[in-house]
Amino acid sequence: MDQLSDLADDRLINDCIFCGGVADTRDHVPSKILLDKPYPENLPVVGSCQECNQGFSKDEQYLICLLESVLIGSTDPEKIRRPSVSRAMKRAPALRAKIESAKKYINGKVAFSIEEDRVKNVILKLARGHAAFELSQPCRNEPDHYWCGTLESLPKEELDLFDSAHIQKLLGEIGSRNMLRMFATEVTLQSESGVLETMNVVVNDWVDVQDGYYRFLAVDDAGGVVIRIVISEYMACEIGWNIYA
Ligand SMILES: [Zn+2]
């Protein structure tokens, strides 16, 4: 992915972006376990303390192994389509057994019960990482809005809305990577009475970290910070902090 230099005032995100403690290590956002080799160049990194950093890895492993099992309806490492996850499942038989025991059948279809706390732990980590790295916004508080589901569960209209780029109303943290990524474009809108109006808009688009595996949209606008994440083109999440309320 293209990596942009951050020109914003970063005093607020120099500490561990998760707890505010001393950042004595660095964490990739997204974590490499959610991607596959060859990894994209210039993966974002954020400052983190050891404790927070280590607090995520087991849950991240759980999430990706669960997700890949859901996608094929099985925990069989031989069937898992991603080599890195297949290896992780072989290395961690206890984790595989745990996911297997969460397997159930609903109307004859395979489904898995989800440990929502663990999924949320990972999703919030990712969202906070994107907010810090892309928007230069520390979002250590509990979010005001959290939704996690699947793309296929969204009705067409909601899916289109979720997938669309964001048209920026206000400009965010000056010099943040997100702001450097945005582009201006001219759009022509037709009113109900048929009048055409041309205007310039600033577009904040999704960032494809790795095609098919991970993409996100980071928004800092009048409504606050909103992060949308799609993992494996299956799991979809939206997290929001009303930082201007
Ligand atoms: Zn920490």
Side-chain angles (χ1 to χ4, degrees):
M1 62 186 283
D2 284 346
Q3 206 48 275
L4 304 167
S5 304
D6 173 27
L7 308 173
D9 177 357
D10 274 346
R11 277 169 296 183
L12 293 173
I13 54 166
N14 281 337
D15 300 325
C16 171
I17 64 143
F18 306 111
C19 73
V22 177
D24 48 7
T25 177
R26 314 193 87 188
D27 215 349
H28 287 98
V29 183
S31 331
K32 284 184 173 169
I33 195 167
L34 301 179
L35 307 171
D36 235 332
K37 287 178 183 165
Y39 298 121
E41 287 175 19
N42 302 317
L43 275 181
V45 279
V46 293
S48 165
C49 71
Q50 296 276 0
E51 203 180 331
C52 286
N53 193 325
Q54 283 161 11
F56 298 120
S57 51
K58 281 226 157 75
D59 289 347
E60 285 167 338
Q61 194 184 28
Y62 163 77
L63 174 67
I64 197 66
C65 288
L66 173 74
L67 214 49
E68 287 297 312
S69 300
V70 168
L71 285 170
I72 59 159
S74 164
T75 59
D76 183 352
E78 302 303 331
K79 291 186 185 154
I80 297 273
R81 52 178 199 149
R82 283 171 59 172
S84 59
V85 180
S86 171
R87 281 195 300 276
M89 289 284 254
K90 282 183 194 156
R91 276 197 308 268
L95 175 63
R96 184 189 165 192
K98 189 163 204 190
I99 295 174
E100 183 65 36
S101 72
K103 194 161 116 177
K104 54 191 180 182
Y105 292 88
I106 299 175
N107 300 331
K109 279 174 110 182
V110 177
F112 290 84
S113 308
I114 292 172
E115 292 180 54
E116 286 178 19
D117 288 357
R118 300 185 78 182
V119 172
K120 190 172 181 183
N121 187 35
V122 177
I123 299 306
L124 285 190
K125 174 235 166 132
L126 296 166
R128 289 187 170 116
H130 293 313
F133 191 85
E134 285 291 319
L135 307 174
S136 300
Q137 291 287 7
C139 292
R140 296 189 183 99
N141 297 340
E142 274 300 295
D144 297 289
H145 164 72
Y146 173 84
W147 173 77
C148 185
T150 62
L151 284 177
E152 64 184 16
S153 71
L154 292 173
K156 171 89 173 73
E157 254 174 45
E158 276 180 52
L159 178 64
D160 288 348
L161 210 60
F162 183 88
D163 264 342
S164 61
H166 175 76
I167 305 297
Q168 201 75 21
K169 293 172 196 76
L170 303 173
L171 292 179
E173 184 72 21
I174 302 293
S176 69
R177 291 184 177 87
N178 177 243
M179 203 159 135
L180 301 176
R181 252 189 235 289
M182 291 183 205
F183 60 91
T185 189
E186 203 178 74
V187 292
T188 304
L189 301 174
Q190 187 168 20
S191 71
E192 280 174 24
S193 57
V195 179
L196 292 178
E197 190 188 357
T198 300
M199 57 173 87
N200 291 304
V201 295
V202 175
V203 179
N204 179 3
D205 209 351
W206 284 78
V207 178
D208 268 313
V209 177
Q210 196 170 47
D211 200 27
Y213 286 155
Y214 195 98
R215 61 187 168 101
F216 72 90
L217 175 71
V219 172
D220 177 2
D221 207 342
V225 166
V226 175
I227 309 289
R228 285 189 207 142
I229 299 170
V230 173
I231 304 173
S232 297
E233 280 309 307
Y234 179 76
M235 188 179 187
C237 314
E238 186 179 277
I239 308 93
W241 285 269
N242 303 338
I243 58 171
Y244 303 116

